[in-house]
Amino acid sequence: MAGLMSYAIPTITGEVKRHFRDRMWAVRVPRGVQELRNRVRLARRDLIQWPGSVEPSLAELAACAGCTEEEGGRGLEALNSSSALEDLLASE
């Protein structure tokens, strides 16, 4: 029974996370863009976590996220579009 549980729990948890990651977007967004959005979101959070911090530049954000400025721009667009959707849904 322990062998089944050690296999089943991570497998089922992974499938549930994958379902929500792939289905919670109003528009089908490629997984790579979703992952890039998350890297940019975490990098932005790290860069502005101290009081008095200013909004990071695209170059700083890209360097912290480990991507090019072009990729960082796409990640920001995805981040801003999902934020706008969340704001719209929250105002209803």
Side-chain angles (χ1 to χ4, degrees):
M1 187 68 167
L4 174 65
M5 295 301 282
S6 65
Y7 168 78
I9 290 174
T11 301
I12 293 169
T13 302
E15 287 299 313
V16 169
K17 287 179 180 179
R18 184 177 66 80
H19 170 79
F20 285 113
R21 180 189 63 225
D22 292 346
R23 307 274 184 215
M24 294 306 294
W25 292 76
V27 176
R28 176 69 180 109
V29 177
R31 184 174 299 169
V33 174
Q34 293 178 31
E35 291 170 354
L36 181 60
R37 173 192 171 268
N38 194 44
R39 286 191 354 234
V40 168
R41 181 184 60 81
L42 293 174
R44 183 179 174 276
R45 184 193 67 190
D46 290 345
L47 290 170
I48 63 170
Q49 68 182 341
W50 295 283
S53 297
V54 296
E55 191 67 30
S57 69
L58 183 55
E60 293 170 329
L61 201 54
C64 187
C67 61
T68 65
E69 286 188 35
E70 182 180 336
E71 292 171 328
R74 278 188 299 193
L76 272 177
E77 287 176 10
L79 182 62
N80 292 336
S81 64
S82 67
S83 298
L85 180 60
E86 291 167 1
D87 293 343
L88 178 65
L89 293 175
S91 67
E92 292 182 343

